[in-house]
Amino acid sequence: MTSAKKLSATAAIAVAALALSGCAGSTGGGASADDPVSLRMTVWTSNEDQLALFDSIAEEYMADHPEVSDITFDPLDFESYTTTLTTQLAGGNPPDMAWVLENAAPDFVSSGALVPLDDVLSATDGYDLDDLSASATELWRDADGALAAYPFSTSPFVVFANDDLLAEAGAPTAAELQADGDWNWETISEIGSQVNAATGKAGFVVRDFEYTQWDYLSTVWGGWGAEPWSEDGADCTMDSDEMVDAFTFLHDAAFDATSMPGPGSTADFFAGDAAFTVTQISRASLLEESGIQAWELAPLPEGPAGEYSIIGQAGVGALAQGENPEEAAEFIAFFTNPENSEKLAQYFPPARESQLNAETLVAANPVLTEEQLSEIVVPAVESGEVRPSHTGSAEIQQAVRSALDALWVADADIPGTLSAVCEAIDPLLEQ
């Protein structure tokens, strides 16, 4: 047995910031062609096409920068990504660069764990820092306004619909539902229940939720106008009337209407197991090998509060505790310049205003049509609200997940459970 405890994400990032203050003189800045450096970037993708693109960008960079001998992209498991990254930081094995999820952004940005990028981006020929959308970069700026990470992916959540499965169940298509003014969560659940009864397959799935990643449900509760905490982050609002109504809908979908897989059940839309899935457009590439012949892209369904959109973000930053922070920041400037941003756009919607248009996106997203991009994707990026984020995200995530366990039973006390969530996280929000 061992009594050792893993560092929380917040604590690990704090350790990294403290380590930086004590050893700043030993980091980076001395690379040359005679003494080249190796750079490592942690990522959560293991997609071969994406990694091949990253490698090609790295090879182009190294051809003009002999002071860098090697750039590797280190895939980490998505579900444990932040924990693994912060463990590396606390253990003295930091990467030079890292992807950062939006829900962990406040911790990384506020702790000083990331190298400010403004100067190196501004000094890079042709970078055009002013082209970056102010709304896209807001989450990634520190209290002084410095850009701590570049939001290489600003990806809206949308709905993919399997019209083959809807036809099998005798249900209308997604396009027909929209044309009839029925594109709303109530109708989606009704249709999902019909699909489940007729085919045994799932109605709708919130991808990556799996009854553990509760913040993915913001893609649903946004339709009720609900928020997990106040705008200043100081007060829990998980027990608000809007949130109670949203979770009542979700509970009914799982346990009564059976329009959504219940706890312990899974369904993969891209394997043909569900009629609808809520996910990001970056998943569109999965359609090519899914076997689904007739599918559609649609915005998030309306809720009682009307239309809304939710976006997920990912930033890439240079770790201040890394061995080569200056070289890492310079590679990030190349990795995210206009030319490479356009290449990355085939998987990750860009933060550049000049590239946020259907013409650019359709060239990089051959699976989607220009109409889908212009009418659904671009407006969602422009008006979307970023998924919930807060300092101490790892502790809050675990506390909410644990408290919500009581909700995922047939006879749950929904208002009481959500009140218990607030009791659990109010002390964490105050930190």
Side-chain angles (χ1 to χ4, degrees):
M1 293 180 61
T2 176
S3 60
K5 297 181 179 179
K6 288 185 177 180
L7 282 173
S8 68
T10 306
I13 297 168
V15 166
L18 289 172
L20 171 65
S21 67
C23 61
S26 66
T27 57
S32 68
D34 295 329
D35 185 24
V37 302
S38 295
L39 299 177
R40 177 170 67 97
M41 180 189 294
T42 57
V43 300
W44 54 72
T45 182
S46 55
N47 180 284
E48 292 183 1
D49 293 335
Q50 293 177 10
L51 293 173
L53 173 60
F54 303 160
D55 285 337
S56 69
I57 293 173
E59 288 169 5
E60 183 181 355
Y61 182 78
M62 288 186 291
D64 290 332
H65 293 79
E67 73 276 10
V68 178
S69 62
D70 186 52
I71 301 174
T72 59
F73 299 91
D74 182 13
L76 306 179
D77 180 69
F78 178 78
E79 291 190 3
S80 59
Y81 178 84
T82 300
T83 300
T84 303
L85 173 58
T86 51
T87 299
Q88 290 185 11
L89 288 171
N93 180 36
D96 298 284
M97 303 160 287
W99 286 8
V100 180
L101 279 164
E102 74 280 279
N103 62 6
D107 285 327
F108 277 87
V109 171
S110 65
S111 68
L114 301 172
V115 176
L117 297 174
D118 297 85
D119 289 345
V120 69
L121 299 184
S122 297
T124 300
D125 289 341
Y127 192 85
D128 194 6
L129 184 58
D130 292 338
D131 189 32
L132 304 188
S133 162
S135 59
T137 58
E138 181 180 2
L139 181 64
W140 306 94
R141 294 189 180 277
D142 65 19
D144 297 323
L147 186 66
Y150 172 88
F152 70 90
S153 180
T154 299
S155 183
F157 285 86
V158 294
V159 174
F160 287 99
N162 182 338
D163 284 346
D164 291 337
L165 191 54
L166 290 169
E168 185 180 343
T173 66
E176 290 169 341
L177 291 172
Q178 292 177 82
D180 293 340
D182 290 329
W183 191 247
N184 56 67
W185 278 113
E186 181 180 357
T187 304
I188 291 295
S189 186
E190 291 174 358
I191 297 296
S193 182
Q194 179 180 339
V195 169
N196 180 254
T199 70
K201 296 189 176 182
F204 72 90
V205 178
V206 179
R207 191 177 178 92
D208 297 319
F209 163 50
E210 302 289 353
Y211 290 89
T212 57
Q213 304 297 322
W214 61 273
D215 47 349
Y216 279 99
L217 294 179
S218 61
T219 57
V220 178
W221 75 52
W224 278 256
E227 297 285 353
W229 39 73
S230 57
E231 187 173 353
D232 62 5
D235 300 303
C236 175
T237 55
M238 287 289 290
D239 57 355
S240 67
D241 291 343
E242 294 84 359
M243 194 68 83
V244 169
D245 288 346
F247 272 94
T248 298
F249 165 80
L250 287 161
H251 189 274
D252 177 76
F255 291 95
D256 297 325
T258 62
S259 54
M260 180 177 86
S265 301
T266 59
D268 183 357
F269 173 88
F270 297 100
D273 296 335
F276 306 102
T277 187
V278 176
T279 190
Q280 291 170 284
I281 65 161
S282 54
R283 306 283 189 173
S285 59
L286 298 174
L287 287 164
E288 295 178 303
E289 298 180 4
S290 69
I292 300 172
Q293 299 300 312
W295 60 271
E296 293 178 47
L297 181 75
L300 294 176
E302 289 187 28
E307 296 181 356
Y308 67 105
S309 59
I310 303 294
I311 58 176
Q313 279 197 313
V316 60
L319 275 298
Q321 195 187 358
E323 292 186 5
N324 306 287
E326 293 179 17
E327 290 80 5
E330 289 169 0
F331 175 66
I332 288 174
F334 181 79
F335 190 73
T336 64
N337 69 21
E339 294 76 20
N340 288 323
S341 175
E342 191 167 347
K343 295 175 185 177
L344 293 169
Q346 64 185 293
Y347 304 110
F348 311 107
R352 292 183 172 275
E353 292 182 344
S354 64
Q355 295 177 350
L356 191 56
N357 55 68
E359 292 77 18
T360 298
L361 294 175
V362 76
N365 292 269
V367 178
L368 304 179
T369 67
E370 187 168 339
E371 182 180 12
Q372 289 171 329
L373 290 164
S374 63
E375 295 184 1
I376 298 171
V377 175
V378 172
V381 173
E382 292 176 337
S383 64
E385 180 178 330
V386 180
R387 280 203 312 141
S389 63
H390 200 288
T391 53
S393 61
E395 292 86 349
I396 293 171
Q397 176 79 18
Q398 183 56 41
V400 175
R401 174 180 173 178
S402 178
L404 279 180
D405 282 346
L407 193 144
W408 307 125
V409 294
D411 58 350
D413 174 8
I414 297 173
T417 298
L418 295 177
S419 292
V421 170
C422 282
E423 291 177 7
I425 69 171
D426 264 331
L428 298 175
L429 298 180
E430 294 170 0
Q431 294 179 5

